Amino acid sequence: MPAPELTEHELRSETVYAGGFLQVRRDLVRLPDGQQAAREYIVHPGAVMIVPLLDNGRLLLERQFRYPLRRVMLEFPAGKLDPGEEPLLCARRELREETGYRAREWAHAGVLHNAIAYSTEGIEIFFARGLQAGERDLDEGEFLELCELSPAELDLACARGEVTDAKTLIGLQWLQRWQAGAWPLHWSGDVGG
């Protein structure tokens, strides 16, 4: 039995909101059965997330107030890509700016699409090890607190529902699968700083 055609085809597209960071678009599409439907979604520039592995076996995380949820969230360091920026360069920049750390080795794990029904955002997942402390350089208006947790402590926080951030949950899963030998990481030295 042949697989059904699932692709929707854009007929018309309009920007309904353009902010400094995000765009909201409304498209008219033709469905596989020939009918038409509207699709509203957010255009996001993309982002990175870093799973920083400290030499003592602990993980470096951040506590940060996230306005849309009106609460402090526990999460791995992350940030959006600047126009034309390579994901590894963004990961190095975000780690340094938010935590003050630089890493001797990096591994790209993969990409996470955390809101596929209404956003184009893709978050490139990186692991960093051989961390060397330095000074943070937070963006204006950025306030966060660094904390260290063991993988087991983070796992318990997730199990208790204290961590609900999708990228952090996926980062922990990727870490656990890598530590179990199931999902390989390919490490390379950081020659760019």
Side-chain angles (χ1 to χ4, degrees):
M1 180 172 170
E5 173 60 39
L6 301 174
T7 304
E8 299 177 0
H9 298 276
E10 178 187 311
L11 299 174
R12 186 176 67 237
S13 183
E14 66 176 314
T15 301
V16 293
Y17 172 79
F21 172 43
L22 300 172
Q23 252 187 48
V24 178
R25 299 194 63 78
R26 181 183 300 122
D27 291 1
L28 180 66
V29 300
R30 185 176 59 252
L31 301 172
D33 66 359
Q35 298 295 312
Q36 294 181 4
R39 297 289 184 248
E40 296 177 348
Y41 59 98
I42 297 167
V43 177
H44 187 286
V48 299
M49 178 197 66
I50 306 102
V51 179
L53 308 172
L54 295 164
D55 289 343
N56 63 8
R58 297 174 72 78
L59 304 168
L60 186 64
L61 290 109
E62 301 172 350
R63 285 190 180 91
Q64 186 170 187
F65 185 81
R66 293 300 192 172
Y67 184 80
L69 297 178
R70 310 297 202 276
R71 64 181 267 210
V72 173
M73 303 293 286
L74 179 65
E75 56 191 289
F76 284 121
K80 73 173 183 66
L81 290 162
D82 288 338
E85 186 177 30
E86 290 295 321
L88 178 57
L89 296 178
C90 181
R92 289 195 315 228
R93 176 178 55 77
E94 288 293 340
L95 182 66
R96 187 188 72 255
E97 288 178 359
E98 293 186 358
T99 72
Y101 282 89
R102 295 178 188 268
R104 283 192 307 272
E105 290 184 284
W106 289 88
H108 180 253
V111 66
L112 158 68
H113 293 101
N114 62 324
I116 59 174
Y118 61 86
S119 176
T120 64
E121 181 180 17
I123 302 173
E124 299 289 342
I125 302 168
F126 288 91
F127 282 70
R129 66 182 178 190
L131 301 182
Q132 301 162 327
E135 293 210 20
R136 295 193 303 173
D137 184 21
L138 296 174
D139 291 336
E140 184 176 332
E142 186 174 35
F143 302 92
L144 55 88
E145 173 186 273
L146 299 178
C147 60
E148 295 180 19
L149 293 176
S150 71
E153 290 168 333
L154 179 57
D155 189 69
L156 282 174
C158 293
R160 290 190 300 255
E162 296 168 14
V163 176
T164 60
D165 173 55
K167 68 184 179 310
T168 300
L169 292 166
I170 294 299
L172 176 63
Q173 178 189 23
W174 213 296
L175 173 69
Q176 292 168 333
R177 300 298 292 152
W178 170 62
Q179 289 177 329
W183 293 1
L185 290 175
H186 304 287
W187 295 91
S188 61
D190 187 357
V191 296

